[in-house]
Amino acid sequence: MRGRRPLPSGLGAPSDDPGASLAPALDVPWLEPFPDARFDLEARTDLRLAWVAAVQYLPARQRAVLVLREVLGFSAAEVAEQLGTTVAAVNSALQRVRAALAGAGDAHAVTEPDDPEVREVVQRYMHAFEAADVPALVRLLADDAVLEMPPVPLWYRGSGDYGRFMERVFGMRGTGWAMRALTANGQPALAAYAPQSGGGHRLHTLQVLTVIAGRVARNVVFADPRVFDAFGLSHETPADQFRGER
């Protein structure tokens, strides 16, 4: 597993069971999002494309080389040391990455988080999620939308299975969610706060969205407290915390 940072979609086939077990796989060093505040504008653009490529196209080793070399700016020798390989192997992997991305049209079709169309899609997704309105969420999804939830190895492909799983989530957690918009990996992201019985909300997940052609094509959902802390997110909040942040 050394050097690997997978997502669930890289480890097995999608599920079609909305009631499947949500047991986490804690022995896997899952791919995690980066707070955009750590990077300048140019680096965020590179990071956005690297993330999209990582979750959709590249094997684990090539994904690691792409992020370390092209986004974080490590030398080939430094990357080789971190991954336990050779400089020649790192350079070869980077060449394969560039060849793969040259034909990956969807990666370059992903628009910026502040693109007006993306902002509208994200706003509509937020409102639908807050209302626990599954049909409205499904209307915003691409037909082959992917939902994955590290450290849970379970994942879904297709708007139908996505919607059925969301029915399970809202059935368990209820309505009246609160959402906060932010960015991660140069992409739109949402902090989702679940309602608490005594009032207010508790942080439930950080969701990183990939929006292509006006639809949500992928949602990578993180529930690891370490991810929350990396983004400086409050774990609990009053009910009206995010009013006015739209």
Side-chain angles (χ1 to χ4, degrees):
M1 295 293 294
R2 185 177 182 181
R4 294 192 65 195
R5 288 280 171 177
L7 285 172
S9 58
L11 297 180
S15 173
D16 59 3
D17 178 8
S21 171
L22 298 179
L26 300 178
D27 59 331
V28 178
W30 298 103
L31 184 69
E32 296 179 353
F34 290 93
D36 280 359
R38 296 182 183 178
F39 302 93
D40 61 25
L41 181 60
E42 182 177 356
R44 285 200 297 271
T45 299
D46 292 341
L47 184 59
R48 173 175 56 89
L49 293 176
W51 172 265
V52 175
V55 299
Q56 296 192 65
Y57 301 107
L58 301 177
R61 180 54 63 94
Q62 292 180 25
R63 184 163 60 213
V65 169
L66 172 65
V67 173
L68 291 170
R69 286 284 285 122
E70 300 288 270
V71 178
L72 300 181
F74 287 103
S75 69
E78 290 170 328
V79 174
E81 181 178 357
Q82 291 183 59
L83 299 183
T85 186
T86 66
V87 170
V90 168
N91 290 333
S92 177
L94 189 58
Q95 288 180 348
R96 291 195 296 272
V97 165
R98 289 169 175 163
L101 294 185
D106 283 352
H108 296 273
V110 178
T111 45
E112 297 284 353
D114 57 357
D115 178 274
E117 182 180 47
V118 173
R119 288 179 60 87
E120 180 182 358
V121 171
V122 172
Q123 289 291 318
R124 290 168 60 193
Y125 192 96
M126 290 174 65
H127 291 315
F129 204 105
E130 289 176 333
D133 187 342
V134 174
L137 284 176
V138 170
R139 286 194 294 272
L140 294 169
L141 301 175
D143 291 343
D144 59 349
V146 168
L147 174 66
E148 47 194 329
M149 302 157 282
V152 176
L154 178 74
W155 67 287
Y156 297 96
R157 182 186 295 278
S159 58
D161 286 339
Y162 191 126
R164 283 185 283 275
F165 181 79
M166 293 311 306
E167 289 174 350
R168 174 187 180 183
V169 171
F170 295 140
M172 294 170 59
R173 298 289 184 173
T175 60
W177 291 64
M179 308 292 283
R180 175 186 172 188
L182 58 157
T183 60
N185 310 316
Q187 293 181 256
L190 301 172
Y193 287 79
Q196 299 192 88
S197 58
H201 296 79
R202 183 166 184 81
L203 184 57
H204 184 259
T205 52
L206 174 69
Q207 307 180 20
V208 182
L209 305 178
T210 300
V211 179
I212 298 176
R215 292 289 183 269
V216 175
R218 184 179 295 264
N219 186 1
V220 185
V221 179
F222 298 90
D224 189 336
R226 294 174 302 176
V227 173
F228 300 160
D229 292 342
F231 281 79
L233 296 171
S234 300
H235 287 243
E236 293 192 32
T237 183
D240 61 352
Q241 175 72 35
F242 303 130
R243 290 177 184 172
E245 289 194 12
R246 297 291 186 266

